[in-house]
């Protein structure tokens, strides 16, 4: 089915769901905790070789010489794959061709793969590979992102710039104005699972067991890059240990393993080291963002301007769409958004955990807090006064939007009105206490997705799609969708994911996975219903699945009987259709945070977090909650610790492991309360759900820094908070 109009009555409506929406435990939970779920690096094959990547030690220049001969003599070494012997490759995103030439574009760029019969042999030989370079002056310096930045090409179906009304005049004449620049740093996805691939050839076709979020794109790009017909490429990613965007790209491990396997005629496994993941995969690129807000004394915005300067790797086109959320969040007649892009000799920039909103909302929601203070308005009230009736730039209706309800619910639950808006008023022991809030928004795109549904004679139902589960719960929610619609027990559903031998799925990215693939399961069940109605002479108008049969009250056909002559098979499909343009589709939320700031050390402790979200139908109360909690924890990292630190002399990140790249640990995470408001979105998909994967992180970092301001009177506009700066500013604020 195609989403060309809002859905009316669906198969889920008119009943109270008993499986869908419930907090069903993960159906793959036992497999995971017992180690039976095999991740890419767990696979092994007889006669398998091990490949270890060698990374460029310089940030820009060329390889002058590589002493391959010496390494080839090392014990067990079978192949040293490098730019001299690598096969020619095509180009198609999201794969980046490997070992193309002698040019070094960034530190850590893979320059060789040493392949040996044993892992230790390969590692030892890789370490001893002697490389001489011709160094050139790298473009590493990112002190001022505005220098040399140009307008990028449209991406994500969005132009880099938008304009409504006359921003400049409206801003200049506004009663109250805000105009500041914010900085957000380079960040690393930091998924637990390392990027890993086992590749082997079956005749003239390659099989690639890897960790990738979006197999349809990976399949097309791998085939094009390896110059193979897509029929000769199969990708398998059954279990993925976190992606966060870092596994949207087809990384070096997959391409190098495939090439090395072809050249050696044996299976080749490549597992990146943790350090290699920091350089040879991708990162979230830093931004400088100027936010300008102009408002009347009544607190109504007349002008909103959001400009972002970012950077990408030389030769790449990715830009961080920081102002996307700003385009839809608040009403104002005069508006301007702009993205500019510079090129650097730095590791690849790509999508990470809500690309766009995650960093853009930091700036916008800090700006709103500052403006509220200037207007002597409660920050929640400022948002309520600027709630738009329709999309403020495109003027299309919202498919559903409950930001106001989220804000109001949060105010009550959090005890927001108890706060003193004046900073440095609340002290408990050595801590200054403060509270802050921010709105959350994340676009809800739908991607085309298909699934094969097979009804078997023993009554079990098999679902197959190349959709992935990156730890978010896809196996479980697809089980729930099918069990609910067919009215059979969840343990009668067998979901098989992550294999391009299956009908293509939407993949895990951009928060579209559950709605898109769940919608395809809905379509498959509708088709099965039609098929069985015909087979059993059942009135399609009233036919319902009940107690293991399709029935219209007078006639019925049991699922077992239907499949007696052989499995019944249907293909379900969901396509985005006209609703993608006809409606503004996004999920909304509100974050409320309480922090304590140590008066002597400036250490920030997040004490309490509340997230209230409206994201359409919640498909699984437990996995949805976990995703939001996870997103809010990302926000703690964003505000307080996560940052790749560049050594601009060498173009290298000095913190490139999980000891030095600091993500929140258990001790950093307080009680987190997540509340979902009831909402159904008839324009999104037949389940009326909306994306939730990246909603939790959007805005939350700003709620934390707004709370820091309320605690100690210091505005943080340069992320993450650094203690030495905060401490210094606190001293200044105190005098
Ligand atoms: Mo997401 S950053 O599209 O995995």
């Amino acid at each position: 089915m195609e989403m060309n109009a809002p859905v009316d009555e669906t198969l889920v409506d008119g009943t109270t769901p008993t499986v869908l929406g419930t907090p069903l435990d993960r159906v793959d939970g036992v497999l995971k905790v017992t180690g039976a779920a095999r991740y890419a690096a767990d696979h092994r094959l007889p006669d398998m070789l091990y490949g270890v990547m060698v990374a460029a030690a310089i940030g820009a220049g060329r390889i002058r010489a590589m002493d391959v001969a010496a390494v080839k003599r090392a014990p067990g070494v079978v192949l040293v794959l490098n730019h001299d012997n690598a096969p020619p490759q095509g180009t198609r995103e999201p794969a980046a061709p490997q070992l193309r030439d002698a040019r070094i574009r960034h530190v850590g760029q893979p320059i060789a793969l040493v392949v040996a019969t044993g892992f230790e042999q390969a590692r030892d030989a890789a370490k001893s590979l002697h490389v001489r370079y011709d160094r050139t002056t790298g473009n590493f310096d990112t002190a001022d992102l505005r220098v040399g930045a140009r307008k990028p090409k449209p991406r994500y179906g969005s132009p880099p710039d938008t304009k409504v009304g006359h921003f400049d005049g409206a801003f200049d004449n506004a009663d109250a104005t805000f105009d500041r620049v914010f900085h957000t740093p380079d960040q690393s996805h930091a998924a637990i699972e390392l990027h890993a691939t086992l590749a082997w050839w079956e005749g003239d076709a390659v099989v690639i067991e890897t960790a990738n979020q979006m197999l349809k794109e990976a399949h097309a790009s791998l085939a094009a890059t390896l110059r193979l017909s897509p029929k000769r490429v199969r990708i398998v990613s059954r279990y993925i240990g976190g992606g966060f965007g870092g596994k949207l790209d087809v990384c070096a491990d997959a391409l190098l393993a495939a090439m090395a396997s072809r050249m050696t005629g044996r299976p080749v496994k490549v597992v990146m080291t943790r350090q290699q993941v920091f350089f040879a995969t991708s990162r979230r690129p830093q931004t400088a963002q100027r936010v300008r807000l102009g408002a009347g004394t009544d607190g109504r915005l007349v002008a909103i301007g959001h400009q972002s300067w970012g950077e990408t790797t030389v030769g790449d086109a990715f830009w961080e769409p920081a102002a996307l959320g700003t385009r839809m969040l608040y009403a104002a007649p005069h508006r301007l958004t702009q993205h500019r892009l510079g090129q650097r000799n730095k590791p690849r920039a790509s999508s990470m955990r809500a690309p766009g909103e995650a960093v853009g909302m930091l700036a916008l929601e800090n700006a709103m807090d500052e403006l509220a203070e200037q207007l002597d308005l409660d920050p929640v009230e400022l948002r309520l006064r600027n709630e738009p009736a329709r999309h403020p730039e495109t003027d299309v209706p919202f498919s559903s939007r409950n930001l106001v309800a989220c804000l109001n619910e949060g105010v009550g639950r959090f005890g927001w009105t108890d706060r003193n808006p004046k900073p440095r008023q609340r002290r408990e022991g050595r801590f200054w206490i403060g509270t802050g809030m921010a709105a959350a928004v994340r676009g809800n795109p739908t991607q085309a997705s298909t699934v094969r549904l097979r009804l078997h004679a023993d009554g079990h139902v098999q679902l197959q799609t190349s959709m992935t589960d990156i730890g978010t719960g896809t196996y479980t929610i697809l089980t729930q969708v099918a069990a609910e619609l067919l009215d059979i027990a969840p343990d009668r559903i067998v979901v098989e994911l992550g294999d391009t031998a299956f009908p293509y799925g939407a993949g895990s990215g951009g928060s579209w996975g559950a709605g898109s693939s769940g919608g395809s399961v809905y379509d498959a069940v509708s088709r099965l219903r039609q098929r069985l109605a015909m087979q059993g002479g059942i009135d399609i108008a009233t036919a319902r699945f009940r107690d293991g049969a399709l029935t219209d009250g007078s006639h019925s056909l049991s699922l077992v009987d239907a499949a007696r002559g052989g499995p019944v098979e249907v293909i379900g499909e969901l396509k985005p259709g006209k609703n993608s343009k006809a409606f503004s589709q996004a999920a909304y939320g509100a974050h409320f945070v309480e922090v304590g700031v140590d008066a002597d050390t400036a250490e920030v402790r997040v004490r309490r977090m509340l997230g209230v979200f409206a994201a359409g139908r919640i498909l699984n109360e437990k996995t949805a909650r976990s995703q939001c909690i996870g997103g809010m924890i990302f926000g703690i990292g964003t505000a307080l610790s996560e940052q790749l630190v560049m050594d601009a002399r060498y173009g290298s990140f000095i913190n490139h492991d999980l000891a030095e790249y600091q993500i929140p640990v258990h001790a950093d995470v307080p009680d987190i309360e997540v509340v979902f408001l009831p909402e159904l979105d008839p324009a999104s998909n037949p389940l009326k759900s909306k994306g939730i994967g990246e909603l939790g992180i959007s805005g939350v970092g700003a709620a934390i820094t707004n709370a820091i301001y309320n605690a100690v009177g210091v505005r943080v506009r340069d992320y993450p908070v650094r203690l030495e700066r905060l401490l210094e500013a606190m001293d200044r604020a105190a005098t």
Side-chain angles (χ1 to χ4, degrees), residues 176-396:
T177 57
F178 172 87
D179 181 1
R180 288 279 189 176
V181 175
F182 297 82
H183 288 96
T184 65
D186 289 311
Q187 293 184 331
S188 183
H189 303 82
I192 290 290
E193 184 198 21
L194 302 168
H195 290 61
T197 299
L198 172 61
W200 71 96
W201 288 73
E202 291 175 354
D204 64 357
V206 65
V207 185
I208 296 171
E209 292 253 18
T210 190
N212 192 282
Q213 297 175 221
M214 306 236 300
L215 297 195
K216 182 167 169 261
E217 285 69 16
H219 187 236
S221 80
L222 256 169
T225 309
L226 295 171
R227 296 191 170 173
L228 294 169
S229 131
K231 288 195 298 280
R232 291 171 58 197
V233 178
R234 178 179 166 207
I235 307 177
V236 182
S237 290
R238 302 234 188 262
Y239 297 98
I240 300 165
F244 312 136
K247 288 165 185 158
L248 292 170
D249 288 353
V250 174
C251 295
D253 54 307
L255 285 160
L256 296 177
M259 291 192 269
S261 172
R262 185 171 219 189
M263 291 164 78
T264 59
R266 292 167 66 176
V268 174
K269 176 148 125 179
V270 178
V271 183
M272 288 195 199
T273 63
R274 176 61 66 187
Q275 289 78 5
Q276 287 175 339
V277 170
F278 277 83
F279 295 101
T281 67
S282 61
R283 67 187 157 103
R284 190 202 297 281
Q286 63 170 343
T287 66
Q289 300 175 53
R290 182 185 187 191
V291 177
R292 283 177 288 173
L293 301 175
T297 47
D298 59 357
R300 281 184 213 285
L301 291 164
V302 290
I304 301 179
H306 192 165
Q307 293 157 282
S308 182
W309 292 266
E311 38 124 289
T312 201
T313 310
V314 283
D316 274 4
F318 175 87
W319 48 276
E320 176 74 40
L324 281 199
T326 303
R327 291 177 183 169
M328 61 186 144
L329 198 51
Y330 301 119
H334 305 283
R335 335 175 51 96
L336 168 154
T337 67
Q338 238 175 40
H339 297 86
R340 294 292 177 266
L341 187 64
Q343 308 251 318
R344 299 286 187 282
N345 292 108
K346 288 172 67 175
R348 198 170 198 201
S350 182
S351 296
M352 175 174 140
R353 313 184 204 144
E357 287 91 334
V359 296
M361 297 284 289
L362 295 172
L364 179 65
E365 291 301 281
N366 281 162
M368 287 293 279
D369 203 70
E370 296 205 40
L371 183 68
E373 185 185 33
Q374 205 180 315
L375 291 164
D376 201 19
L377 266 182
D378 183 272
V380 174
E381 180 58 30
L382 178 62
R383 286 160 177 87
L384 295 177
R385 289 191 191 179
N386 290 288
E387 174 69 9
R390 293 163 72 88
H391 189 293
E393 290 200 357
T394 61
D395 199 39
V396 299

Side-chain angles (χ1 to χ4, degrees), residues 14-46:
T15 58
T16 308
T18 53
V19 184
L20 196 56
T22 63
L24 185 72
D25 285 347
R26 283 166 195 272
V27 297
D28 51 343
V30 171
L31 290 178
K32 285 188 172 174
V33 297
T34 57
R38 306 266 228 105
Y39 292 79
D42 297 333
H43 295 283
R44 43 179 64 242
L45 283 173

